[in-house]
Amino acid sequence: MSGENPTNLVAEFEAAYVFPLAQYAWQSERGRSCWIDLEIWQDALAGPVSSIIKDGNCAYVYARNDDYFAGVNDATTLYAKLQQWHGKLDAGLDSFIPTTHAEEIDLTAMRQFASKMWAVVEKAIEVERRR
């Protein structure tokens, strides 16, 4: 990891991206299923962020011109793409309508997870902008 990265960014990444599915005590099967269904957006965010944390940059993204990263060629356009994907994660959470108290607890947790994910994205983008 580059010296530019905050030392706790690895831990923050793991807490935001690994903890929810691996360690959170889901209160409802439906809440857990919702989170799993939204994994595509979690993974889309995690890839570039992980690269920035590991390598100190996200150069692999800029070299790509595929469906995922077309037009992404710097930290500003990467931020916009990640913001778009995070919006899709949020939209998925907005479509989850709890029908039990357990599901309400899970939805609150999922919103917190999504918020923590975005906080890590913003820190990683700052690292990318400084490179």
Side-chain angles (χ1 to χ4, degrees):
M1 183 169 78
S2 167
E4 296 178 315
N5 295 322
T7 57
N8 63 344
L9 198 50
V10 171
E12 289 180 44
F13 177 84
E14 290 175 1
Y17 287 86
V18 177
F19 170 80
L21 194 56
Q23 296 179 357
Y24 173 69
W26 293 93
Q27 303 297 302
S28 69
E29 184 58 35
R30 193 166 161 260
R32 183 177 181 277
S33 292
C34 173
W35 191 249
I36 290 170
D37 289 346
L38 296 172
E39 197 168 35
I40 187 171
W41 305 119
Q42 299 163 40
D43 290 349
L45 294 167
V49 170
S50 177
S51 179
I52 293 167
I53 292 170
K54 180 182 172 197
D55 301 330
N57 66 66
C58 205
Y60 87 93
V61 166
Y62 308 139
R64 291 174 57 166
N65 191 23
D66 55 19
D67 290 342
Y68 291 103
F69 296 111
V72 176
N73 53 23
D74 59 20
T76 300
T77 53
L78 176 60
Y79 182 84
K81 178 57 77 173
L82 296 176
Q83 195 171 37
Q84 175 188 14
W85 288 340
H86 191 267
K88 293 188 184 264
L89 176 62
D90 280 342
L93 294 176
D94 288 345
S95 70
F96 181 79
I97 308 299
T99 59
T100 67
H101 181 64
E103 291 173 1
E104 289 174 8
I105 292 169
D106 284 343
L107 179 58
T108 298
M110 289 186 284
R111 289 196 187 285
Q112 290 171 348
F113 301 152
S115 177
K116 288 178 183 178
M117 287 178 166
W118 187 249
V120 173
V121 166
E122 289 190 328
K123 289 179 181 182
I125 290 294
E126 283 307 310
V127 170
E128 181 68 4
R129 286 185 174 134
R130 288 193 309 257
R131 72 170 187 93

